[in-house]
Amino acid sequence: MLSSLQLNRIFKRKKAQKLALLIAAAYVVIVFIMSILANYIAPYNPYTVNLNQIFLPPSFKHIMGTDYLGRDVFSRIIYGARYSLGASVIAVALALFIGSIIAFTTAYIGGYLDRAFNVVMDTMYTFPLILIAIMIAFVIGKGFFNVAVSVAIAETPRFYRVVRSSVVSVKNRGFIESARLSNIPLRVIIYRHILLLVIPPLAVMSALTMSDAILSISILGFLSLGIPPPIPEWGADLSVNRSALLVGAWWALTFPGLMILVTSFAFLLISEMYNEITIKGAGEI
């Protein structure tokens, strides 16, 4: 995957950044709509097995060919978006909620509690996130919700660090002290003076985490630790179709792999371009 520096070199101008953001966002919206309307868009039932049509090449009847069980690859990709994106959204939402709640509470209170959680989160952050997700998935088992929880726990330190740094940077400022002395309720202080400052970086982090979550869930599926077959999931479909290379059926691996790559890259592009246009652009003004 391209790094942030490489992306910034490619999209130097504001117009290019806005165009890239628009294209990536449009692609993501299309994929989400495709997953929601899968029952109406998919030409075939993704679970229907037809052993007489194993590894058929792309054609007008099957535009992305068939897999090792004769199932339509295009239909499985459409339905797979529902599970791959659905699990990713749940994972990011859980990580955002858990990380933000812990960060707001510990950073605002401070003291030993803040230092203890900071050590725990920093320790988790030193490990590769996918390694943490694999270990958790191995313990709690397979399944749609289980894989989302595994990735959410692995991604929680990211949101914790973003929120904590924002809270620590503003909690001792003069206007926060004035609000405290004025007996303004804590929830009002958090909402009016802290939360609004945290939302922009959280938006960037959410899009970036969606990119990683899609890859992580696909890796777990490929390792048979995620959403189990025959449920259509991009990573699991890559795993069960590995034998396709032996018979030259490249399409059974190529199209699910492309969906993982392109969708993950689209969220990465949204994160980087939004950061460049909105946050950094505001800092230049």
Side-chain angles (χ1 to χ4, degrees):
M1 193 65 67
L2 292 174
S3 65
S4 300
L5 182 59
Q6 290 172 321
L7 284 174
N8 293 336
R9 287 176 178 174
I10 295 173
F11 303 102
K12 292 181 179 179
R13 298 182 179 179
K14 288 289 184 182
K15 288 185 178 180
Q17 293 171 357
K18 291 180 179 179
L19 180 61
L21 177 61
L22 180 62
I23 293 174
Y27 170 82
V28 168
V29 170
I30 290 172
V31 174
F32 270 108
I33 293 175
M34 182 176 70
S35 67
I36 295 171
L37 301 178
N39 294 342
Y40 306 98
I41 297 176
Y44 298 94
N45 188 319
Y47 299 99
T48 300
V49 174
N50 190 340
L51 298 181
N52 294 321
Q53 297 186 353
I54 294 175
F55 289 139
L56 292 181
S59 62
F60 287 110
K61 187 176 181 180
H62 299 282
I63 61 174
M64 291 185 179
T66 61
D67 65 5
Y68 78 112
L69 290 176
R71 299 172 300 192
D72 183 63
V73 173
F74 180 56
S75 298
R76 289 190 65 81
I77 283 178
I78 292 176
Y79 275 89
R82 176 177 295 179
Y83 293 97
S84 296
L85 287 182
S88 299
V89 169
I90 293 174
V92 173
L94 284 174
L96 172 61
F97 178 77
I98 297 171
S100 298
I101 292 297
I102 295 174
F104 268 118
T105 304
T106 59
Y108 194 82
I109 294 174
Y112 291 109
L113 182 65
D114 180 43
R115 288 195 287 272
F117 271 97
N118 201 33
V119 169
V120 172
M121 292 296 177
D122 284 346
T123 302
M124 290 179 62
Y125 199 74
T126 58
F127 288 91
L129 299 180
I130 184 59
L131 179 60
I132 297 175
I134 289 173
M135 291 189 294
I136 297 171
F138 185 79
V139 172
I140 67 176
K142 304 177 183 179
F144 177 81
F145 188 71
N146 285 358
V147 72
V149 170
S150 301
V151 175
I153 295 174
E155 297 285 357
T156 294
R158 278 186 164 181
F159 290 102
Y160 171 85
R161 289 162 64 93
V162 170
V163 175
R164 182 185 179 276
S165 62
S166 299
V167 174
V168 169
S169 67
V170 300
K171 74 171 187 176
N172 293 322
R173 291 185 183 178
F175 61 89
I176 298 294
E177 291 295 332
S178 300
R180 287 174 179 170
L181 294 174
S182 301
N183 294 322
I184 296 178
L186 177 60
R187 65 179 184 277
V188 177
I189 296 175
I190 292 176
Y191 176 74
R192 290 184 179 178
H193 302 293
I194 299 178
L195 185 59
L196 295 179
L197 297 176
V198 177
I199 288 177
L202 277 183
V204 173
M205 185 56 66
S206 296
L208 180 61
T209 306
M210 274 294 297
S211 175
D212 285 345
I214 290 170
L215 289 176
S216 298
I217 288 169
S218 299
I219 291 172
L220 291 175
F222 186 82
L223 296 175
S224 300
L225 293 172
I227 302 173
I231 296 174
E233 192 275 316
W234 298 335
D237 279 3
L238 277 178
S239 179
V240 298
N241 282 304
R242 283 176 290 182
S243 61
L245 293 178
L246 299 177
V247 296
W250 53 268
W251 53 88
L253 289 171
T254 300
F255 292 116
L258 279 175
M259 287 302 298
I260 296 169
L261 180 64
V262 175
T263 307
S264 177
F265 179 72
F267 279 105
L268 174 63
L269 202 59
I270 290 172
S271 172
E272 292 298 328
M273 295 304 101
Y274 178 80
N275 185 47
E276 287 293 318
I277 294 171
T278 306
I279 299 179
K280 290 188 177 180
E284 294 172 358
I285 296 175

